[in-house]
Amino acid sequence: DAGVTQSPTHLIKTRGQQVTLRCSPISGHKSVSWYQQVLGQGPQFIFQYYEKEERGRGNFPDRFSARQFPNYSSELNVNALLLGDSALYLCASTLGGPIGGYTFGSGTRLTVV
Amino acid sequence: DQQVKQNSPSLSVQEGRISILNCDYTNSMFDYFLWYKKYPAEGPTFLISISSIKDKNEDGRFTVFLNKSAKHLSLHIVPSQPGDSAVYFCAARETSYDKVIFGPGTSLSVIP
């Protein structure tokens, strides 16, 4: 079974540009979460989607947005990129419910120059 | 305001000995606690979890202890192996939002 897949794996963008990151969850998983991990820190929660609805949002500016599609895949969009947006962006999927264990993808490394 | 804290950025342990990684939290609404392991260039991998209604959960070489009154949990790895060298994240789930909040991580080095 395929795990959580994210694309692209690496990306370099210029300040002010816009970026779209993509995530395909494990088959059967209806919940997708996005995290930002800056070097030396733990993953920071950005969004969670379940059944195409936003279930949670972290402390990120409105430049960050996301959506989930009918096939449960998801996109994270970041507008007006800043240097500080450079990070590893992780997508995680879960069945939801009391199990609690997310399965993470390998992430997209975004570098803003 | 950091709700999940791991106050030791790094830890070195001799192979075969016990590794103890500590974690503190501040939010009483957390109902599930999880440990993840992360190797470079990979996403975090789920290791073990514990419900807030339990005080211990064991899985092979890994045991997690929860002290709710102290808002403290720890991960014990016995015996430690060189392959355990990684960054370990403590995480907590807030049921009402089904979101998982991570600590800053502890880098474990197991020395052969």
Side-chain angles (χ1 to χ4, degrees):
Chain A
D1 280 344
V4 177
T5 57
Q6 292 187 244
S7 63
T9 55
H10 294 83
L11 202 52
I12 299 175
K13 288 286 190 177
T14 305
R15 274 181 300 175
Q17 284 189 314
Q18 176 265 342
V19 68
T20 298
L21 310 180
R22 295 177 176 82
C23 172
S24 293
I26 289 175
S27 177
H29 285 193
K30 299 180 179 180
S31 176
V32 169
S33 297
W34 286 95
Y35 286 81
Q36 180 197 65
Q37 186 180 15
V38 174
L39 197 62
Q41 297 181 19
Q44 299 294 310
F45 174 76
I46 310 176
F47 286 109
Q48 192 211 24
Y49 277 79
Y50 180 76
E51 289 276 17
K52 302 182 292 281
E53 290 191 5
E54 183 182 303
R55 288 275 296 269
R57 172 186 284 255
N59 294 326
F60 281 80
D62 292 343
R63 299 185 294 108
F64 288 77
S65 63
R67 55 180 175 168
Q68 187 177 33
F69 298 97
N71 66 354
Y72 304 113
S73 66
S74 177
E75 286 182 352
L76 175 70
N77 295 286
V78 186
N79 294 322
L81 285 166
L82 304 174
L83 295 179
D85 295 330
S86 296
L88 179 67
Y89 287 85
L90 294 162
C91 173
S93 74
T94 181
L95 283 168
I99 299 173
Y102 285 12
T103 301
F104 281 86
S106 297
T108 294
R109 172 68 63 185
L110 173 65
T111 302
V112 182
V113 296
Chain B
D1 189 24
Q2 212 169 41
Q3 298 186 64
V4 179
K5 304 175 185 180
Q6 293 176 259
N7 293 322
S8 297
S10 62
L11 175 68
S12 287
V13 171
Q14 208 69 30
E15 181 180 3
R17 306 293 290 268
I18 184 172
S19 295
I20 300 176
L21 295 94
N22 293 305
C23 176
D24 298 290
Y25 62 95
T26 59
N27 189 343
S28 301
M29 299 304 293
F30 290 145
D31 72 331
Y32 231 85
F33 301 91
L34 309 98
W35 285 93
Y36 283 82
K37 180 168 73 171
K38 186 178 186 302
Y39 294 115
E42 295 182 12
T45 303
F46 172 70
L47 198 56
I48 191 170
S49 65
I50 187 168
S51 164
S52 60
I53 62 173
K54 296 189 174 182
D55 55 18
K56 178 183 175 181
N57 188 28
E58 191 172 353
D59 184 3
R61 297 186 297 113
F62 303 91
T63 304
V64 56
F65 296 92
L66 175 62
N67 182 334
K68 279 191 71 175
S69 60
K71 293 191 173 69
H72 177 84
L73 62 155
S74 61
L75 174 68
H76 292 209
I77 306 173
V78 183
S80 301
Q81 300 173 353
D84 296 331
S85 297
V87 177
Y88 287 78
F89 292 103
C90 172
R93 192 186 76 163
E94 195 175 332
T95 314
S96 56
Y97 295 104
D98 200 25
K99 73 179 183 182
V100 177
I101 298 173
F102 286 78
T106 296
S107 179
L108 173 66
S109 296
V110 179
I111 304 163

